[in-house]
Amino acid sequence: MKKGFVTVVSFTLIAILSGFPAYAGKSLDEIDRESFAARYVLADLPAVALTPVDAVEQVQVPYELSLDGLWLMAEGGDERARVGQTWSDAMEAVVPGSVHTALVTNGVIPDPYIGQNDSIAEKQSYKTWWFCRQFSLDELPDNPLLSFGGVANRCTVWLNGHKLGTHEGMFGGPDFAVKKYLKKENTLVVKLDPIPQMFLGNWPPNANESWKYTVVFNCVYGWHYAQIPALGIWRTVKLIAEAPVEIESPFVSTRTLQGDMRLVVNLRKVSAPVKGKLQVAVSPRNFEGESQYFEYEINSSKKAEQLSFDFKIDNPRLWWPNDRGEQNLYDMELSFIPRNGGRPDVERTSFGIRTIEMAPFPEGKREDRYDWTFVVNGRPMFVKGTGWCTMDALMDFPRERYDRLLRIAKSQHVQMLRAWGGGMPETDDFYELCDEYGIMVIQEWPTAWNSHNTQPFDMLQETVVRNTKRIRNHPSLVMWGAGNESDKPFGPAIDMMGRLSLELDGTRPFHRGEAWGGSDHNYNCWWDDAHLNHNLNMTSPFWGEFGIASLPHIESVERYLAEEKDIWPSREGGHFRHHTPIFGTMGEFGKLSQYSGYFMPDTTLAEFIIGSQLSQVVGVRHTLERARTRWPETTGALYYKMNDNYPGVSWSCVDYYGAVKPVHYFVQKSFAPLTGVVLFDRTNLSSQEVSLPVYLLDDCSRLAGKEYRVVATVYNDRLDTVACRTFEGQGDSHSVVSLGNLDLTRAQTKSTMLFVVVDVLCDGDRLARNYYFTNYEVRRGVIMSMPRTDVALAQDGHRVTVTNTGKLPAIGVHVEWPGHAHEFVASENYLWLDAGESRTIEVNTEEPVCVKGWNIN
């Protein structure tokens, strides 16, 4: 996301100007594949059949010693002294982790997320830091390899006083063979070089642009909320005993949905010929089923051997995206048993049986557009999704935190996350959970705004190779992307990424840029101060990014404002404005005031927060719903975004601390597989004659063959019914059904508020409800001044029942856990309850909760 970024591109013109060839009658996918000139497509290599067997030999797991845990950490110092064990000034630090987290834990610096303490933390990124770990070995392993999963960013490593080497680039490595240096008592020393400082005065003016000359996640360098460049040993460190023949990065892909599979295995000779038996065991991971076993005899004198095999899984169970079916997964264990009786090697991975194909838009193939229709397991689908931000500026990535966020995404009916080029090749935990929850991923490489032209080619290539091999077996991974918002996504680095997407995979599409080739990003609302009406009318073949920023939950805001939490209105240079995008340097407070002001007065911080959140709801949900009704002309919509790396005003639906914003619950309604929607082209209908299109959306054909009714009811500012129309029909296989229009006269719209409630009914049951609010600009705060009603709450463990005990509808009814917003999630929230109506929801606590609403006494 960048100020004013809107994609309006003529591919043919760019092709001519750049020397890139233009083609006719082909899609951009086909043109790109030809231009990348891959030596081969890995998934298409000739293969031999694995032999099915009744069982395989049990093989001992290879030796591996984790070096994670407590290390020593110290600032600066002479190399000779540090390597020679002068550590009297050291403090303890946890690895994996960051320098900054260790400094906070040891009380050296304050919490960087509070107030303006981030400026204190940033200074630590520009210092040299040393790490030390001592470890003992009972016996020396064969062929020992010291492996770093990731170090941010430039490091030098010593083992027992011997310099092993230097490495730069944070997404994997370095690895060192250490046989000749290893002893029973060992000392490992790592030096982290300071992050370079390059303040060039570009956009934004105060950001450190040194990320453009290395390979890091760049959203912590001052352009995206956080300005604390990452520094630390942030991934696991381990000592591995390599086998005489090593199995490297096995790749499993689906050839047919009938269980015909392809396995590509690289065997690397460490100290013996590649002669022996390859064993493969495949077992269901999350469902009941039989294990299957295969083997193959290998006889080769080569130093390395790449082999392709075909095998078949009996009674295959498919992996489907969220809401479309089950997420069936398989485990695979491979072992190579040398013929001479040497030590075997074992490698484990997991996979799912699913296919990803891309079909063109209905107009057909175009040389300036990718094929943007996702066809999963042979079924075309509209893709519902959001952006994914690197989870923490200080590289705190616990699995539990991933799980919370991805569970929320699943409950929102999200089917796709775009892991954008401002972030990183995501972790194993992230991908394992996306596999489990059925959330597809577009994985972009860490480039943005044409930085591929300045980032070192070899570092980018190492990042692509390492991480492609690491994550390519995950069924949730459905697309590779070169990076974020480069308006000239050409050149050697982009070509390398495209070529390797074929040579190391070949089963997924690769896009040279985002937005590009039919996808759009749009921020006219916010950066260009456009009225909310703009987002109500936007269309695109595929939405890669759009959205509106809002404030977090008030508990989160008060947390980071600390001693300034009672200062309102906010002041120039204060904590509040510091925690806006670009740290208040780009007029963000004025934009926030504009969008919050559509709804609420700014007399209190709480009102200001509510106004901004409601503006985000309107700016996101209407665009998503319009996109869904345009299927198949529009094939997907990814709003911006799911999460944050730093607390403050942002586009996320879950704030940094974990508090869920209202937009989550409204998108949950907009993304529901079955729902009714009404399209609006403006936010104020007062005293106007209007005709509002009404649609039924049924992604999973839940109503197929059934009689249904869709009832649209309109209420005025007295909560009197001013209009009601019923649309009847019989469900079929169409996922989008245009039902007609909801026509309203000037007299019916003459009201300071209008509410439209849409119910989908079948067999006497209400299967879905969606509702809208409009005319709120007539008077600030009017949405909260509707006639009041009473709502009762009854709690039984995790089940909460809310009942409208009054005579008028209850609007915006939501359950909260006071003091615990950062932990709380409800199965649904922000409800519309008719008079006398009850709704039971699930909450993630048994502690007492409370009920609130926009018109509750």
Side-chain angles (χ1 to χ4, degrees):
M1 183 278 300
K2 186 175 182 180
K3 179 181 183 294
F5 192 96
V6 182
T7 305
V8 182
V9 177
S10 169
F11 177 85
T12 303
L13 178 60
I14 289 178
I16 294 171
L17 295 177
S18 65
F20 190 80
Y23 299 76
K26 295 182 179 181
S27 70
L28 185 52
D29 305 83
E30 294 168 312
I31 295 169
D32 275 352
R33 280 202 167 206
E34 292 178 12
S35 71
F36 295 144
R39 296 168 297 166
Y40 53 81
V41 177
L42 184 61
D44 295 343
L45 290 176
V48 297
L50 287 174
T51 303
V53 294
D54 294 333
V56 293
E57 297 179 35
Q58 295 299 309
V59 177
Q60 184 177 357
V61 176
Y63 174 91
E64 183 175 300
L65 175 67
S66 172
L67 299 179
D68 295 346
L70 288 178
W71 290 48
L72 295 178
M73 183 182 89
E75 177 193 343
D78 178 75
E79 176 181 317
R80 180 178 300 177
R82 292 298 185 202
V83 176
Q85 290 308 291
T86 301
W87 289 86
S88 59
D89 58 339
M91 66 191 82
E92 290 186 336
V94 174
V95 171
S98 74
V99 166
H100 305 89
T101 300
L103 293 172
V104 172
T105 301
N106 285 279
V108 178
I109 64 172
D111 185 340
Y113 297 131
I114 303 300
Q116 300 182 49
N117 294 338
D118 56 327
S119 62
I120 300 172
E122 181 190 4
K123 293 181 176 64
Q124 315 311 313
S125 299
Y126 307 137
K127 299 176 180 179
T128 299
W129 293 95
W130 293 80
F131 284 76
C132 178
R133 174 74 152 88
Q134 295 182 330
F135 61 97
S136 302
L137 298 173
D138 294 332
E139 58 182 82
L140 300 182
D142 295 332
N143 303 316
L145 184 75
L146 178 63
S147 178
F148 290 81
V151 181
N153 180 44
R154 190 175 191 272
C155 68
T156 306
V157 182
W158 291 262
L159 178 62
N160 296 327
H162 299 279
K163 183 177 178 179
L164 302 179
T166 298
H167 182 268
E168 184 175 349
M170 70 178 287
F171 301 117
D175 297 321
F176 300 109
V178 293
K179 182 176 182 178
K180 60 183 178 180
Y181 305 125
L182 208 59
K183 302 183 294 186
K184 288 195 173 183
E185 299 296 329
N186 300 275
T187 300
L188 178 62
V189 175
V190 179
K191 175 191 175 186
L192 300 184
D193 288 351
I195 299 298
Q197 300 183 60
M198 298 181 67
F199 298 95
L200 305 179
N202 295 319
W203 183 89
N206 298 322
N208 181 352
E209 297 187 59
S210 66
W211 64 269
K212 297 177 181 178
Y213 300 88
T214 186
V215 180
V216 293
F217 67 82
N218 55 69
C219 57
V220 294
Y221 276 69
W223 62 263
H224 201 267
Y225 322 129
Q227 187 150 340
I228 311 173
L231 198 63
I233 305 173
W234 71 285
R235 292 282 84 186
T236 191
V237 184
K238 55 190 175 183
L239 188 67
I240 304 168
E242 291 195 296
V245 176
E246 281 282 308
I247 302 170
E248 293 189 330
S249 307
F251 175 45
V252 188
S253 60
T254 304
R255 295 174 56 233
T256 74
L257 299 178
Q258 289 69 49
D260 296 301
M261 309 297 292
R262 175 67 52 84
L263 169 64
V264 180
V265 178
N266 280 74
L267 298 176
R268 176 174 57 87
K269 181 175 69 174
V270 176
S271 60
V274 185
K275 296 180 180 181
K277 179 170 61 178
L278 180 69
Q279 298 184 153
V280 180
V282 177
S283 304
R285 184 175 197 176
N286 57 355
F287 63 92
E288 295 294 326
E290 298 293 327
S291 297
Q292 292 180 244
Y293 306 98
F294 308 88
E295 64 179 33
Y296 192 83
E297 288 288 337
I298 297 171
N299 185 1
S300 174
S301 59
K302 296 179 180 178
K303 185 176 181 180
E305 187 83 2
Q306 179 171 284
L307 301 167
S308 291
F309 300 102
D310 287 337
F311 66 101
K312 186 174 181 65
I313 294 178
D314 298 331
N315 304 311
R317 299 273 290 269
L318 304 185
W319 184 94
W320 289 95
N322 186 22
D323 289 334
R324 290 304 184 105
E326 296 178 345
Q327 288 78 50
N328 297 299
L329 298 168
Y330 292 84
D331 285 325
M332 175 181 282
E333 180 174 288
L334 301 95
S335 54
F336 181 82
I337 303 175
R339 190 174 301 158
N340 61 4
R343 185 168 60 81
D345 188 35
V346 178
E347 185 76 19
R348 294 188 176 97
T349 189
S350 63
F351 65 94
I353 301 175
R354 69 102 184 93
T355 57
I356 292 290
E357 302 167 277
M358 303 302 293
F361 293 111
E363 64 190 18
K365 295 180 181 295
R366 282 174 43 174
E367 72 273 9
D368 63 339
R369 283 189 176 175
Y370 291 116
D371 290 341
W372 260 114
T373 304
F374 285 86
V375 183
V376 183
N377 296 337
R379 299 182 186 176
M381 62 180 289
F382 180 93
V383 173
K384 299 175 286 191
T386 183
W388 176 263
C389 179
T390 295
M391 198 166 60
D392 185 68
L394 305 190
M395 303 187 292
D396 182 20
F397 301 136
R399 187 179 180 96
E400 296 76 19
R401 193 167 174 191
Y402 275 116
D403 189 54
R404 172 181 166 77
L405 288 167
L406 294 172
R407 280 180 182 269
I408 292 171
K410 179 178 175 64
S411 72
Q412 195 184 105
H413 307 291
V414 163
Q415 297 167 322
M416 178 174 284
L417 295 173
R418 175 177 164 240
W420 56 312
M424 64 185 189
E426 266 298 343
T427 66
D428 295 337
D429 285 334
F430 171 86
Y431 273 103
E432 288 169 9
L433 291 165
C434 286
D435 289 346
E436 181 179 340
Y437 296 144
I439 301 174
M440 300 182 289
V441 181
I442 298 176
Q443 179 62 71
E444 295 179 6
W445 300 118
T447 73
W449 309 322
N450 302 315
S451 66
H452 58 275
N453 291 323
T454 54
Q455 292 171 279
F457 181 93
D458 57 341
M459 285 186 214
L460 279 175
Q461 181 167 266
E462 181 190 31
T463 297
V464 172
V465 171
R466 278 183 177 271
N467 291 281
T468 298
K469 291 179 177 180
R470 178 176 61 86
I471 64 178
R472 62 188 175 182
N473 284 339
H474 291 282
S476 56
L477 175 61
V478 297
M479 180 180 289
W480 302 108
N484 178 63
E485 294 181 352
S486 293
D487 64 347
K488 298 179 178 62
F490 304 99
I494 303 294
D495 289 344
M496 171 269 293
M497 295 172 186
R499 175 176 57 80
L500 290 176
S501 76
L502 298 169
E503 295 180 356
L504 300 178
D505 184 351
T507 67
R508 299 171 176 89
F510 170 85
H511 286 184
R512 62 173 58 245
E514 174 61 48
W516 194 260
S519 172
D520 289 305
H521 297 185
N522 191 294
Y523 292 98
N524 292 104
C525 277
W526 188 264
W527 288 120
D528 294 331
D529 306 320
H531 190 278
L532 282 175
N533 288 342
H534 175 80
N535 274 26
L536 269 59
N537 293 279
M538 293 194 310
T539 61
S540 170
F542 188 92
W543 282 117
E545 266 195 39
F546 73 94
I548 292 180
S550 76
L551 279 153
H553 192 282
I554 190 168
E555 290 180 11
S556 299
V557 176
E558 291 179 341
R559 183 173 176 178
Y560 64 71
L561 290 184
E563 72 276 5
E564 294 188 8
K565 68 180 181 180
D566 296 321
I567 297 176
W568 189 259
S570 71
R571 58 182 177 83
E572 288 284 351
H575 295 350
F576 184 95
R577 301 196 184 199
H578 185 74
H579 284 258
T580 60
I582 325 300
F583 314 102
T585 63
M586 303 290 289
E588 298 97 305
F589 184 75
K591 300 175 190 301
L592 192 62
S593 299
Q594 172 191 345
Y595 291 102
S596 178
Y598 291 137
F599 286 92
M600 297 294 290
D602 59 2
T603 52
T604 68
L605 173 61
E607 290 173 327
F608 199 66
I609 290 171
I610 292 170
S612 77
Q613 292 175 344
L614 291 177
S615 186
Q616 183 183 39
V617 167
V618 169
V620 171
R621 64 93 59 97
H622 287 282
T623 306
L624 295 178
E625 291 178 358
R626 184 174 291 275
R628 286 188 71 184
T629 65
R630 285 172 48 83
W631 166 261
E633 281 74 23
T634 294
T635 62
L638 314 181
Y639 75 92
Y640 189 75
K641 59 187 171 106
M642 186 70 205
N643 62 315
D644 281 332
N645 65 15
Y646 182 82
V649 173
S650 93
W651 287 255
S652 71
C653 71
V654 181
D655 71 34
Y656 170 77
Y657 292 118
V660 178
K661 298 182 185 179
V663 70
H664 160 72
Y665 294 107
F666 281 93
V667 171
Q668 188 180 58
K669 306 178 206 305
S670 299
F671 271 172
L674 175 65
T675 191
V677 303
V678 178
L679 298 186
F680 295 76
D681 63 1
R682 73 207 86 160
T683 61
N684 186 359
L685 308 180
S686 184
S687 299
Q688 302 171 59
E689 184 176 303
V690 296
S691 186
L692 307 176
V694 183
Y695 288 84
L696 175 68
L697 304 176
D698 186 9
D699 287 350
C700 302
S701 301
R702 185 176 177 185
L703 297 178
K706 299 179 180 179
E707 302 289 337
Y708 65 79
R709 290 185 299 128
V710 176
V711 181
T713 309
V714 183
Y715 298 82
N716 65 13
D717 54 11
R718 298 183 301 277
L719 298 183
D720 294 330
T721 301
V722 297
C724 183
R725 182 170 179 190
T726 299
F727 305 87
E728 297 183 344
Q730 183 172 14
D732 54 26
S733 61
H734 291 92
S735 60
V736 179
V737 180
S738 176
L739 298 175
N741 288 348
L742 176 63
D743 297 321
L744 300 176
T745 66
R746 289 187 176 90
Q748 290 170 320
T749 62
K750 187 179 180 180
S751 174
T752 54
M753 279 298 302
L754 278 183
F755 299 93
V756 181
V757 181
V758 184
D759 289 322
V760 180
L761 307 168
C762 182
D763 296 331
D765 296 324
R766 191 185 72 229
L767 302 183
R769 169 172 286 171
N770 206 356
Y771 73 95
Y772 303 86
F773 41 90
T774 187
N775 290 11
Y776 40 81
E777 292 172 80
V778 173
R779 175 167 54 85
R780 286 188 178 191
V782 67
I783 193 171
M784 300 297 172
S785 63
M786 295 299 98
R788 319 304 282 178
T789 189
D790 294 295
V791 172
L793 178 147
Q795 184 171 359
D796 181 10
H798 293 281
R799 293 171 63 83
V800 174
T801 300
V802 287
T803 303
N804 182 357
T805 60
K807 297 180 180 180
L808 295 171
I811 313 165
V813 178
H814 56 284
V815 176
E816 292 192 352
W817 184 15
H820 298 270
H822 62 290
E823 300 175 81
F824 182 70
V825 181
S827 59
E828 58 177 332
N829 232 344
Y830 290 88
L831 311 172
W832 176 286
L833 295 180
D834 293 328
E837 182 181 1
S838 294
R839 188 84 60 86
T840 299
I841 63 177
E842 297 286 333
V843 297
N844 66 334
T845 179
E846 293 185 331
E847 297 295 317
V849 298
C850 67
V851 62
K852 298 182 180 181
W854 300 345
N855 69 328
I856 292 177
N857 286 320

